[in-house]
Amino acid sequence: LEEIPPKPLQDPGNVLKQGYLEKRSREHSFFGSEWQKRWCVLDRRTFYYYANEKSKQPKGNFSIEHYNARLALHLRKDSRKKCCFELICPGKRTYEFTAPSPAEAEDWVDQIQFLLKDLSSLTIPCDEEDEEELYNDVDSSDSVNTASHNTTLNQEESNVEMEEDDIYEVLPGKRAKPE
């Protein structure tokens, strides 16, 4: 049997972006690397980072609410400086990352910014659902409801036909057939 790679603790259906990034270590020694490769996962509220793709427990995570994401070309002096971005929040730790390419760094920043706009939005999804319910009528374009509604009507009509024998009108010039 093939082993299915373990999923991060959060619901995989909520994962917006994931991939390998280099994360700048908060405390690095003379012998330790300043940048460490990490498997990073962004869901709707939290940024997780793992030792690798198969890790079950994150090395760390933080709520991205109130953070700001931006490209940060000043973080590195080497050829990968255009691949850097940072997550900043006043009064909290700044997280610094290097993506595999400048386009990938931009994509991470865009995804996080999109998510932050969504989190700060004042719309409440429940209200929209309630509104749909109020205006859902027989003539709606919802084919499932219309089909089930028509089926119910057809069943009722056939029941009526069975109960009443003389519901047909006799047209002029035609005689009703005796039974």
Side-chain angles (χ1 to χ4, degrees):
L1 291 171
E2 186 178 303
E3 185 178 324
I4 298 169
K7 297 287 182 193
L9 296 176
Q10 75 279 3
D11 177 11
N14 287 329
V15 171
L16 299 175
K17 185 151 183 70
Q18 60 187 353
Y20 278 105
L21 297 172
E22 286 183 29
K23 183 184 143 307
R24 190 178 222 168
S25 176
R26 187 168 26 183
E27 301 141 10
H28 61 279
S29 67
F30 180 73
F31 298 106
S33 173
E34 183 179 7
W35 294 92
Q36 297 157 337
K37 190 174 181 180
R38 296 285 180 245
W39 178 254
C40 298
V41 177
L42 175 66
D43 77 7
R44 299 192 181 282
R45 296 194 168 276
T46 309
F47 192 103
Y48 298 86
Y49 50 96
Y50 298 82
N52 60 51
E53 200 174 342
K54 295 182 182 351
S55 298
K56 292 182 182 181
Q57 290 296 320
K59 285 202 143 296
N61 66 64
F62 58 96
S63 169
I64 64 156
E65 201 167 1
H66 307 299
Y67 268 85
N68 184 26
R70 66 180 184 198
L71 293 174
L73 308 181
H74 66 278
L75 293 180
R76 292 178 82 135
K77 304 292 182 227
D78 62 9
S79 61
R80 304 203 45 217
K81 68 182 185 180
K82 291 183 178 178
C83 303
C84 298
F85 67 96
E86 60 188 356
L87 297 170
I88 303 164
C89 182
K92 293 187 179 181
R93 175 182 173 190
T94 296
Y95 291 89
E96 301 164 328
F97 296 96
T98 303
S101 69
E104 192 66 19
E106 283 181 39
D107 192 43
W108 276 95
V109 169
D110 290 346
Q111 287 289 334
I112 293 165
Q113 293 291 27
F114 175 78
L115 187 56
L116 292 169
K117 281 181 192 162
D118 196 38
L119 285 173
S120 65
S121 169
L122 297 174
T123 57
I124 302 169
C126 298
D127 288 348
E128 291 172 15
E129 289 173 16
D130 292 344
E131 233 174 90
E132 276 183 38
E133 291 292 320
L134 291 174
Y135 298 106
N136 191 3
D137 60 6
V138 177
D139 297 325
S140 76
S141 61
D142 185 359
S143 59
V144 175
N145 282 348
T146 307
S148 64
H149 185 72
N150 287 344
T151 304
T152 306
L153 284 179
N154 291 340
Q155 287 171 350
E156 288 172 7
E157 287 170 5
S158 62
N159 289 344
V160 170
E161 289 172 21
M162 287 181 215
E163 291 171 5
E164 298 176 26
D165 290 335
D166 51 287
I167 60 168
Y168 296 106
E169 180 181 344
V170 177
L171 296 173
K174 303 269 184 180
R175 295 181 110 197
K177 294 180 185 174
E179 292 182 15

